[in-house]
Amino acid sequence: RIVFDKLVQVLRFGCSYEAIADATCSATTIRARRDEWIGLGVFAQLKQIAVDAYDRLVGLVLDDIAVDGCITKAPGGGDCAGPVDRGKQGMKRSIMVDGYGIPLGRVLAGANRHDSPLLAPTLEHLDDLGPLPQSITVHLDAGYDSATTRALLTERGLTGEIARKGDKAPIQAGRRWHVERTNSWHNAFNRLQRCYERTEKVINAYFDLADAIITVRSLIRRAWILYRWDNRPNRRR
């Protein structure tokens, strides 16, 4: 429990392991336990438990999904870093969310990668969700406006609602704002906004932990409307 609390603090505040260590737990112990849990798949399982609970109690909106990329800083370089902003290192994440903004999957790459080639591996996370609606609309911004993207969506039996290049964004905003909001939720975790981790498996573990927190937080907020329980607060928080 102590180590888990420390990892949540590292994720939220972006501090180093040495800065968060104290008499109860050393930085070496935090790293060792983190790597042990990654090897056991604890963070991935935690995220899956949160998504399953949300789907059971509220329901994932899978007939409208959105995909978008987001660039953040990666000063330490590493597996998922690439040159951007006058040669500085950055990381790009391509994330897929449901119609409310619940994160469903991601692909990590260097910041110098274009969004479009990352779409195919991002959509592959749909295969992990079990039964899917017969009709799924994928909402994309103008960066995906190409014949290659449309062919990929057709091949997978998906409908694309893609913003057109040259048209102003407010006119064709569509339902992409859910993924933009989720990107903002992710960036509220300073470890993800400015990533000093160098190995992809550790970065993915922190994303899984952040996804679990985002999903549980959304579950609590939406369950306040749908359900009643003894200690239910008087207003939604």
Side-chain angles (χ1 to χ4, degrees):
R1 181 183 294 272
I2 292 174
V3 174
F4 186 81
D5 287 344
K6 298 288 187 186
L7 290 175
V8 172
Q9 292 176 56
V10 170
L11 172 66
R12 177 61 182 87
F13 301 118
C15 53
S16 66
Y17 297 105
E18 286 74 14
I20 206 68
D22 54 25
T24 64
C25 185
S26 68
T28 301
T29 300
I30 297 173
R31 293 191 185 95
R33 194 63 57 84
R34 176 204 66 188
D35 293 340
E36 178 185 351
W37 289 346
I38 291 174
L40 294 172
V42 170
F43 297 101
Q45 293 176 41
L46 180 61
K47 176 198 171 181
Q48 191 59 49
I49 290 171
V51 172
D52 290 344
Y54 183 94
D55 191 23
R56 183 173 65 254
L57 296 173
V58 178
L60 293 169
V61 183
L62 296 178
D63 52 350
D64 280 295
I65 63 174
V67 178
D68 194 18
C70 180
I71 294 177
T72 55
K73 296 183 181 298
D79 299 340
C80 304
V84 69
D85 189 17
R86 292 168 292 180
K88 298 177 183 178
Q89 294 293 301
M91 179 179 67
K92 172 170 284 188
R93 62 175 182 265
S94 173
I95 67 169
M96 177 176 64
V97 303
D98 81 331
Y100 180 75
I102 301 300
L104 302 176
R106 87 194 71 86
V107 172
L108 303 178
N112 56 329
R113 294 286 302 277
H114 194 273
D115 290 348
S116 185
L118 301 177
L119 178 61
T122 304
L123 290 175
E124 289 179 1
H125 288 283
L126 284 173
D127 301 333
D128 303 329
L129 298 177
L132 297 172
Q134 292 185 349
S135 176
I136 300 177
T137 301
V138 184
H139 301 267
L140 304 166
D141 64 19
Y144 300 90
D145 186 14
S146 68
T148 302
T149 297
R150 292 183 176 84
L152 170 65
L153 296 177
T154 302
E155 180 182 348
R156 294 190 64 96
L158 305 172
T159 302
E161 185 170 323
I162 308 173
R164 295 178 299 278
K165 294 179 180 178
D167 290 351
K168 295 185 181 297
I171 300 176
Q172 51 177 344
R175 302 193 62 179
R176 289 188 295 104
W177 68 272
H178 295 100
V179 69
E180 302 290 353
R181 182 178 63 177
T182 304
N183 276 326
S184 178
W185 286 342
H186 276 139
N187 288 337
F189 298 97
N190 287 346
R191 198 66 170 185
L192 307 181
Q193 183 185 36
R194 190 176 182 86
C195 183
Y196 285 93
E197 300 291 350
R198 297 182 57 85
T199 57
E200 185 174 0
K201 65 178 183 179
V202 175
I203 300 172
N204 269 317
Y206 275 116
F207 267 105
D208 285 338
L209 181 55
D211 288 350
I213 294 173
I214 290 171
T215 304
V216 171
R217 185 174 58 195
S218 299
L219 172 59
I220 293 172
R221 288 179 60 85
R222 302 199 71 188
W224 188 90
I225 301 174
L226 299 174
Y227 298 97
R228 298 290 185 271
W229 59 92
D230 293 339
N231 57 348
R232 178 176 178 267
N234 293 329
R235 61 186 179 88
R236 185 172 62 173
R237 298 175 182 176

